[in-house]
Amino acid sequence: MEAVESAGATRRWVMLVCSLIAAMTTTCVVSGFAYLIPALHSDGMSITDASVLATIPTVGLMLAILGWGVLLDRHGERLILMISLTITFVGALTTLAAAWAHAPHWVLAVCLFVGGLGSGAANGASGRIVVGWFPPRQRGTAMGVRQMAQPLGIAVCALTMPVIAARHGIAAALIVPAVVTGIGLLVCIVGIVDPPARPGGAAAGKPQPNPYRRSSFLARVHAVSVLLVIPQSMLWTFVPTWLIVAKHWSPASAGLMVTVTQTVGALGRIAAGRWSDAWLSRMRPIRVIASVAALAMAALALTDWLDTPAAVAIMMVASIVSVADNGLAFTAIAEYAGPRWSGRGLAVQNTAQYLATAAITPAFGAVITAAGFPIAFLIGAAAPLVAIPLVPADPVPELEPVA
């Protein structure tokens, strides 16, 4: 098989686009149902019950993601992606059918769970594809493009599903994740090719030692990423409520602000990746991003406490900066873990971040209820501050994957 360095630029970018679309399926299937909570509530379901139903895909994802990582390490990206996306597609179609038939809620929950189970391979597989097809000096930029999948998927769901549900019903809105997943599966079948094997490396059959035993690098990256996801998740979840309840914005204006911020944040991930390529380092940019995120969250807490108009602008800065590290950490894990361990390494990364998000969301809700938004923003500033000294040094030699 051709070497990565000799592969044409067009082919590499085709792989990147395919991996981006495949990763969008996870976001749409796991996060899309949450945008139907208002419609479910209008149909008579309590907000609590609707929120529980919306978490079912995430539960399925967390239970299966590590198993998908093991399968990726053993069998490669294309095969596992096709199996995973087929299960996801079945889950999306059966969820649509259950909603159309007005099935009991437990049936809908089972269908959502199946979709979540299937979606667990796409994030890790797409990350491995980027690292496998791109040379070291381009990986940060390429992974930044791939990391646009989450904000783009959220934007697709946020802009379509609530409107469709309001006009045509919940079942019609569920066509959106089904269509995205179908496109992702088709793109995978037609376009994805497993990355070239590295000569003499683990992918060629040479045993590779457990990278977690070699050093603390991966464990520290996981810990830093969990800390940095705290302000990121807090802002994604509660900024709409902050704008509507505390700042008295209309829901439409708040939604537009979130969409704009998500779009700029997606471009920020590309910029951070390009930055890491130029610096020949993944960890130094993460350290800078953590420092700026801590300052931005602290400034947001202060300006919100003072009730100044600048708080909204600082919120945008904090939202954009807080997501910039994701692609860098993903790239560093895949590079360091190598082709025989990157599936598991990326699965551990995703699982830890999803668990952290699930744990902190109700905790921040309680803080906001008891003490207000400024205190919650200040707590959000503490997490990246703690992360700064935990950021490890780049492995030596820098940017070179384990083989």
Side-chain angles (χ1 to χ4, degrees):
M1 189 178 289
E2 63 192 302
V4 172
E5 290 75 9
S6 64
T10 299
R11 188 170 196 183
R12 286 198 294 266
W13 285 94
V14 167
M15 294 299 123
L16 177 57
V17 172
C18 291
S19 67
L20 169 66
I21 296 172
M24 281 183 64
T25 64
T26 296
T27 300
C28 290
V29 168
V30 172
S31 302
F33 198 84
Y35 293 98
L36 300 180
I37 291 176
L40 289 167
H41 182 58
S42 297
D43 287 349
M45 183 182 292
S46 70
I47 292 178
T48 300
D49 289 345
S51 299
V52 170
L53 200 58
T55 63
I56 296 297
T58 302
V59 173
L61 171 67
M62 287 191 297
L63 289 176
I65 195 168
L66 187 56
W68 284 121
V70 173
L71 292 174
L72 284 168
D73 289 336
R74 293 179 180 176
H75 303 290
E77 293 78 16
R78 187 173 186 271
L79 173 62
I80 300 305
L81 258 180
M82 287 193 297
I83 296 172
S84 170
L85 290 179
T86 298
I87 296 172
T88 308
F89 190 45
V90 169
L93 288 179
T94 54
T95 301
L96 171 60
W100 213 286
H102 302 286
H105 291 156
W106 70 266
V107 175
L108 195 61
V110 170
C111 298
L112 290 168
F113 183 74
V114 171
L117 283 176
S119 68
N123 282 337
S126 58
R128 286 168 55 101
I129 288 168
V130 170
V131 170
W133 273 107
F134 281 81
R137 290 179 179 269
Q138 297 179 6
R139 285 182 192 144
T141 305
M143 190 67 84
V145 174
R146 178 261 172 252
Q147 288 294 106
M148 291 177 68
Q150 188 176 46
L152 289 178
I154 289 173
V156 167
C157 293
L159 290 175
T160 59
M161 294 182 71
V163 176
I164 295 173
R167 295 179 181 177
H168 306 288
I170 292 170
L174 288 169
I175 294 174
V176 174
V179 168
V180 173
T181 305
I183 293 172
L185 177 59
L186 180 62
V187 162
C188 174
I189 294 171
V190 174
I192 293 292
V193 178
D194 284 342
R198 300 186 184 105
K206 182 179 178 180
Q208 181 187 339
N210 185 339
Y212 286 94
R213 296 178 180 176
R214 187 165 59 248
S215 76
S216 63
F217 178 80
L218 291 179
R220 290 179 67 174
V221 172
H222 295 326
V224 168
S225 297
V226 166
L227 287 167
L228 294 183
V229 86
I230 290 174
Q232 170 186 323
S233 177
M234 187 268 178
L235 291 169
W236 278 359
T237 303
F238 293 105
V239 158
T241 305
W242 177 64
L243 290 173
I244 294 169
V245 175
K247 299 301 178 183
H248 310 294
W249 286 35
S250 69
S253 298
L256 181 60
M257 173 62 76
V258 171
T259 300
V260 170
T261 304
Q262 288 286 318
T263 302
V264 178
L267 298 176
R269 293 182 179 198
I270 300 176
R274 182 69 190 93
W275 177 18
S276 77
D277 289 338
W279 274 19
L280 297 179
S281 169
R282 312 297 182 211
M283 295 297 106
R284 282 188 292 157
I286 289 180
R287 192 175 291 110
V288 174
I289 289 167
S291 302
V292 176
L295 289 173
M297 291 297 293
L300 177 56
L302 177 61
T303 53
D304 188 42
W305 179 64
L306 295 174
D307 196 23
T308 67
V312 174
I314 293 174
M315 176 277 296
M316 294 184 68
V317 173
S319 297
I320 293 165
V321 171
S322 66
V323 303
D325 67 288
N326 288 14
L328 305 182
F330 232 60
T331 307
I333 290 167
E335 287 179 329
Y336 187 81
R340 293 290 188 186
W341 280 87
S342 60
R344 280 163 282 187
L346 294 174
V348 171
Q349 172 82 353
N350 280 321
T351 301
Q353 288 189 309
Y354 277 118
L355 285 172
T357 298
I360 65 173
T361 297
F364 271 116
V367 170
I368 291 168
T369 301
F373 281 100
I375 297 299
F377 292 143
L378 192 61
I379 294 172
L385 196 63
V386 173
I388 295 170
L390 295 179
V391 178
D394 286 282
V396 180
E398 291 185 335
L399 301 183
E400 288 301 322
V402 176

